[in-house]
Amino acid sequence: KIKEFNLKVKLKDSRELILTDYEFECANIDFKKSNYKIIDFFKKEKSKFIILPGFIAFSSEGKTSTLGGADYIACIIASALKANLLEIWTNVNGIMTADPKLVSQAYTLKNISYEEAMELSHFCAKIIYSPTLQPVIEKQIPLKIKSIFLEKKKGTYLKKINFIKKKTITGISVMKQISLITLEGSVMVGIPGYSKRLFKTLSEKKINVVLITQSSSEHSIAVGIHDKDVLKAKIVIDNEFYREIYNKSIKPLSIEKYLCIIAIVGDNMKNMHGTSGKIFSAMGKNSINIRAIAQGSTEKNISVVIKKTDLKKAINILHEKFFEKQNKQINLFIIGLGKVGSNLLYQINKQKKYLNKEFKIKLRVIGLANSKKMIFK
């Protein structure tokens, strides 16, 4: 495109503008110093088009550090410059109701709030890197996500205010390769400090906690972590609670592998009654066992832990429940094709569109019979 339109562009090394600490794989931005450098550069630069590489920055030690996503650079710069709009062009047309690889009926969301996008991106909706949103949220900069392959499509528009929505749920996201670790013991009941020790131990070993659930009796705490961290978590937690385990007041850490998390997200859930009931009812009717449940106090996210073998079935059931038309299909077998039977078939054919539109009833004639023969469709 640059050569085609003879654009005059300037290439700028993003490391000269963005400064971080020295965490190689996921560095922390020094926003104060970075913003100063960004504003100063763009104030002096006269080129209309500037290209910056993604992912990389300079650490305080003068070494190259890496950021979690290429779009993060764009958001940092947009935030520093207080841009009116930030566009992120990717390989898909915006944020979808679910992963299209798992749900064939998934479709692109036209509008979504920052908070909903944060929730969905945290649970591996890989369209946008989760920390990317933080700089634009702080400055309330609208964000548009579009596809480089579908330029004419509108994509997804993100902004602070809640959009007027009819649907309770905005999207369904998934986090795979999860294990559930459970610390359990009677000594934990009513005694402060056990949760602190558990999470401090995990934090010190840089084990990321993605889900927490605790029984009201305080008898057990279950924590969702990534599969890759299970062995390390088992060793350090059993070591931390060695005395209690030796005295049998706490059980050795139990581990359940081969799980995943399904997150049901929507700003509108807090205004609607019965959402949790619909989720659990739909999964229960289809024999999907829920291993753990977590819900934030904002009521924007309900997360359930299930076996990974149930993932595709579960997410399709939930998508059908909340995003697809709930048509009730009635199969008819008509015996007798005389005057009455013929008129009935005529009325069915005449009224089927009306019944489908107004009452969500789909009539389907699957068989006909008279005194001489019988046919099935």
Side-chain angles (χ1 to χ4, degrees), residues 123 211 261-264 280 290 292-295 301-305:
F123 284 91
L211 179 140
I261 299 173
I262 295 181
I264 300 93
F280 304 142
I290 297 173
I293 304 163
Q295 182 176 15
N301 180 332
I302 299 173
S303 298
V304 295
V305 181

Side-chain angles (χ1 to χ4, degrees), residues 53-121:
F55 287 103
I56 56 173
F58 259 150
S59 73
S60 54
E61 299 175 3
K63 297 179 180 179
T64 298
S65 56
T66 56
L67 305 176
D71 47 10
Y72 198 8
I73 297 285
C75 285
I76 293 166
I77 292 171
S79 175
L81 299 176
K82 298 180 181 178
N84 294 323
L85 175 68
L86 172 64
E87 290 188 1
I88 293 178
W89 292 75
T90 181
N91 60 343
V92 293
N93 186 36
I95 298 174
M96 304 187 76
T97 52
D99 185 347
K101 292 179 182 177
L102 295 172
V103 182
S104 59
Q105 300 299 319
Y107 57 86
T108 300
L109 294 161
K110 292 181 180 179
N111 302 307
I112 187 173
S113 71
Y114 289 135
E115 289 77 11
E116 289 171 327
M118 284 283 283
E119 294 282 359
L120 289 170
S121 62

Side-chain angles (χ1 to χ4, degrees), residues 34-251:
S34 299
N35 288 348
Y36 176 81
K37 284 181 171 288
I38 292 166
I39 293 168
D40 184 62
F41 169 74
F42 279 90
K43 190 181 289 185
K44 295 175 181 177
E45 182 56 48
K46 295 181 180 180
S47 301
K48 289 185 177 181
F49 301 97
I50 300 166
I51 297 175
L52 298 99
F55 287 103
I56 56 173
F58 259 150
S59 73
S60 54
E61 299 175 3
K63 297 179 180 179
T64 298
S65 56
T66 56
L67 305 176
D71 47 10
Y72 198 8
I73 297 285
C75 285
I76 293 166
I77 292 171
S79 175
L81 299 176
K82 298 180 181 178
N84 294 323
L85 175 68
L86 172 64
E87 290 188 1
I88 293 178
W89 292 75
T90 181
N91 60 343
V92 293
N93 186 36
I95 298 174
M96 304 187 76
T97 52
D99 185 347
K101 292 179 182 177
L102 295 172
V103 182
S104 59
Q105 300 299 319
Y107 57 86
T108 300
L109 294 161
K110 292 181 180 179
N111 302 307
I112 187 173
S113 71
Y114 289 135
E115 289 77 11
E116 289 171 327
M118 284 283 283
E119 294 282 359
L120 289 170
S121 62
H122 174 70
F123 284 91
C124 294
K126 296 179 181 178
I127 309 306
I128 189 167
Y129 176 57
S130 181
T132 293
L133 294 168
Q134 199 57 48
V136 294
I137 289 173
E138 289 178 2
K139 300 291 176 66
Q140 298 185 24
I141 299 169
L143 175 64
K144 189 176 285 186
I145 302 173
K146 299 187 68 175
S147 170
I148 56 175
F149 304 112
L150 301 166
E151 294 182 29
K152 294 182 180 179
K153 297 287 185 179
K154 292 183 178 180
T156 302
Y157 188 67
L158 287 74
K159 62 188 299 186
K160 180 177 174 59
I161 63 169
N162 292 330
F163 298 92
I164 298 172
K165 296 178 182 178
K166 294 181 180 179
K167 292 188 180 296
T168 306
I169 306 299
T170 298
I172 305 171
S173 195
V174 172
M175 187 175 285
K176 301 176 184 177
Q177 298 179 336
I178 294 297
S179 293
L180 202 63
I181 59 173
T182 303
L183 188 68
E184 182 180 358
S186 57
V187 73
M188 296 166 58
V189 178
I191 307 298
Y194 285 98
S195 298
K196 178 184 176 181
R197 287 171 62 190
L198 172 63
F199 296 121
K200 183 181 178 183
T201 301
L202 293 171
S203 176
E204 286 174 348
K205 295 299 178 181
K206 296 187 177 180
I207 297 172
N208 188 35
V209 174
V210 296
L211 179 140
I212 304 165
T213 183
Q214 182 176 16
S215 63
S216 58
S217 66
E218 302 180 50
H219 183 259
S220 65
I221 303 172
V223 175
I225 62 173
H226 295 288
D227 284 345
K228 63 182 178 64
D229 294 324
V230 167
L231 181 59
K232 183 165 59 172
K234 170 72 172 171
I235 293 169
V236 297
I237 292 172
D238 281 352
N239 184 59
E240 171 65 26
F241 293 95
Y242 170 78
R243 184 175 297 176
E244 290 89 346
I245 292 171
Y246 180 79
N247 293 330
K248 296 184 179 180
S249 56
I250 285 182
K251 296 179 181 179

Side-chain angles (χ1 to χ4, degrees), residues 296-321:
S297 59
T298 59
E299 298 184 60
K300 293 178 181 178
N301 180 332
I302 299 173
S303 298
V304 295
V305 181
I306 61 172
K307 291 180 180 178
K308 71 175 185 179
T309 51
D310 289 329
L311 171 58
K312 190 165 185 178
K313 179 182 178 182
I315 195 170
N316 275 277
I317 288 165
L318 293 172
H319 195 275
E320 182 180 352
K321 182 73 176 176

